Amino acid sequence: MYMEDTSPSSGGRSPRQEEKWQAREQKLLDITQELIEEHGFAFFNMDRLVKASGVSKGTIYNHFSGKEDCLSGLCVRCMEETAGMFRRALTFKGTPREVALAIHYAYSLHLRMNPTFSMSLITVRTAGFSEKTSPERAALLHRMDTELFTLAYSVIDRAVAEGDLKLAENMDRVVMAFLNWAVSYGINMLADTGFEHSISDHLGDKNIALIGANVLMDGLGMKPLSTEWDYSATWERIGNEIFPEEVQQLQQGSF
């Protein structure tokens, strides 16, 4: 669900009105995502949202200050979904590094199931774009960034506490969490877009998401190292035990 509406106007709505407001906003975001998936980011604008939704322009602008704010709302919603998958990944029964791998798995799975989100993550963070996002939506984006990093920190803290990882002055948990995010995002974006499949053709059936995660965590010194543990088996367990429905949907193309 969408996070609590922090906009000043929400205070004047009754609980029933608020429920209807949130339901309509979710529907508008659904239509936004459909338009982008069908026609691309460059095609999307507020006039096309008005036409596709059948909702008046005035009503839509009550929800979103403009195109950028609407796309930021879509990004916030997807970040909430990502956080939910991260929380599920944290329930995986294994070593801290295996749990960290479960977060990599969750992120890879979510990006593959939500290609529009993959692009919006970068788009909404450009300077020209963020300047046109409402302060309320910008605050939600910041809050979700904090929540996602906090979930990642918990794995790092556990690894340190159990002696599987040592922090250094220039390699604290913030840096480690960011590196894990950057590697996972970059690998999945490049592997999925494939530059007209040329990269995918070269990679073949290699599990590049797993390989990249292992190279990074080996480099960070997170134990057990990949030479000491079968992380391919761990990767398979994560899918079977934590995300079986999503894996099936992805395999069937029904997402």
Side-chain angles (χ1 to χ4, degrees), residues 162-179:
E162 296 185 16
D164 292 345
L165 179 65
K166 292 182 179 180
L167 299 180
E169 183 176 351
N170 66 337
M171 196 65 70
D172 59 17
R173 67 178 190 164
V174 177
V175 173
M176 289 190 175
F178 180 82
L179 288 174

Side-chain angles (χ1 to χ4, degrees), residues 104 149-150 152-153 156-157 165-184 216-217 219-220 222:
H104 275 270
F149 269 87
T150 298
Y153 293 157
I156 295 169
D157 290 342
L165 179 65
K166 292 182 179 180
L167 299 180
E169 183 176 351
N170 66 337
M171 196 65 70
D172 59 17
R173 67 178 190 164
V174 177
V175 173
M176 289 190 175
F178 180 82
L179 288 174
N180 275 278
W181 173 70
V183 166
S184 188
L216 174 64
M217 288 191 276
L220 294 174
M222 185 178 285

